[in-house]
Amino acid sequence: MRAGGAVVLGITNEPDSPLADAVDILLSTDAGPERAVPATKTVTAQLALLVTVTSALRAGAVGGNPDAAGTPDAAGTPGAAAGPPDAASRAPGGGTLDGLPGAVAGVLGDPGPVERLADRWRGLDRLVVAGRGLAYAAALETALKVKETTGILAEGISTADLLHGPIAAVYAGAPILLVDGGGPADTDLDELRALLASRRAHAASLPVPPGLPEAVHVIAAITRGQQLSYELARARHVNPDAPAHLSKVTATT
């Protein structure tokens, strides 16, 4: 990438890793050691950091006008956003993440909806998780965690893609988890719900606290997905901290 004239940006939780040595600019999530076997905080910390960076970039693009940028302090630079995610609301451009700690605490403090859905879906052998826009990221993460902790063959997919060819695999009784992203990309969710109902599929959604900015909403939705994977594992009498056929570190080359 450098040979092509690019500036290489790296995002990692390990500032002493080979990845950190390979990049020009390092952004550290500072999330602390990962103790879960199927890692849960990596994606939320990275997303919070990216939101902070993009907010700061947007602020710079509109000339440092706080009102135009929609942030408390729009004069920041991307480098200033390299602190830990829990400091994001204090970093330049970080107003986008206002309310994030409370939203995640609200999700974790209300496991009832997830417990009920996990009990209903404990016998699944496959699951489709669908979302669009930022919610597509939440759908992918939810599907990944469900696979890792339970062995259920879960697929994350864009709702737009699902409406095309893959809808042929949605049959009566098929379990579909729809992820609401809290943004404009959710406009086709009602249409999709109606289609799934006509096919007698078992569509479900999981609530997050209302009235959140889109970036906060999707991080809360990701947390819900992680919570579902944990409760599904428990409902299937599987230890989510020791999932089958999964080790803590996967070597890549």
Side-chain angles (χ1 to χ4, degrees), residues 47 130-141 157-161 179-189 214-215 217-218 222:
L47 184 55
R132 195 171 185 183
L134 291 181
Y136 180 34
L140 291 173
E141 167 66 6
I157 192 170
S158 161
T159 55
D161 289 339
V179 182
D180 180 343
D186 292 333
T187 52
D188 62 358
L189 275 182
E214 185 178 4
H217 186 110
V218 75
I222 287 171

Side-chain angles (χ1 to χ4, degrees), residues 131-189:
R132 195 171 185 183
L134 291 181
Y136 180 34
L140 291 173
E141 167 66 6
T142 298
L144 174 63
K145 289 298 173 286
V146 168
K147 280 184 282 198
E148 288 180 329
T149 57
T150 70
I152 294 170
L153 184 59
E155 179 180 5
I157 192 170
S158 161
T159 55
D161 289 339
L162 180 61
L163 283 168
H164 294 285
I167 197 68
V170 176
Y171 51 88
I176 313 287
L177 182 65
L178 298 177
V179 182
D180 180 343
D186 292 333
T187 52
D188 62 358
L189 275 182

Side-chain angles (χ1 to χ4, degrees), residues 8-232:
V8 184
L9 178 72
I11 300 177
T12 179
N13 192 46
E14 296 292 343
D16 297 324
S17 66
L19 173 65
D21 292 336
V23 301
D24 298 306
I25 300 173
L26 176 67
L27 299 179
S28 175
T29 59
D30 293 340
E34 180 59 72
R35 294 188 295 271
V37 175
T40 53
K41 65 183 176 181
T42 306
V43 62
T44 47
Q46 288 177 336
L47 184 55
L49 184 53
L50 283 170
V51 169
T52 306
V53 170
T54 53
S55 296
L57 287 171
R58 179 170 180 248
V62 296
N65 182 343
D67 295 328
T71 59
D73 175 3
T77 62
D86 60 1
S89 63
R90 299 188 297 275
T96 309
L97 292 176
D98 284 351
L100 176 57
V104 172
V107 165
L108 297 178
D110 179 29
V114 170
E115 291 172 346
R116 289 188 290 273
L117 184 60
D119 185 64
R120 196 169 101 207
W121 279 356
R122 68 172 69 198
L124 294 186
D125 60 359
R126 65 174 177 164
L127 172 67
V128 173
V129 188
R132 195 171 185 183
L134 291 181
Y136 180 34
L140 291 173
E141 167 66 6
T142 298
L144 174 63
K145 289 298 173 286
V146 168
K147 280 184 282 198
E148 288 180 329
T149 57
T150 70
I152 294 170
L153 184 59
E155 179 180 5
I157 192 170
S158 161
T159 55
D161 289 339
L162 180 61
L163 283 168
H164 294 285
I167 197 68
V170 176
Y171 51 88
I176 313 287
L177 182 65
L178 298 177
V179 182
D180 180 343
D186 292 333
T187 52
D188 62 358
L189 275 182
D190 288 341
E191 175 190 351
L192 180 55
R193 284 191 180 95
L195 177 59
L196 295 173
S198 72
R199 290 171 174 256
R200 293 178 293 145
H202 288 172
S205 297
L206 290 171
V208 301
L212 300 173
E214 185 178 4
V216 174
H217 186 110
V218 75
I219 293 175
I222 287 171
T223 306
R224 270 292 189 213
Q226 295 167 340
Q227 191 180 40
L228 176 64
S229 70
Y230 179 82
E231 293 298 340
L232 267 174

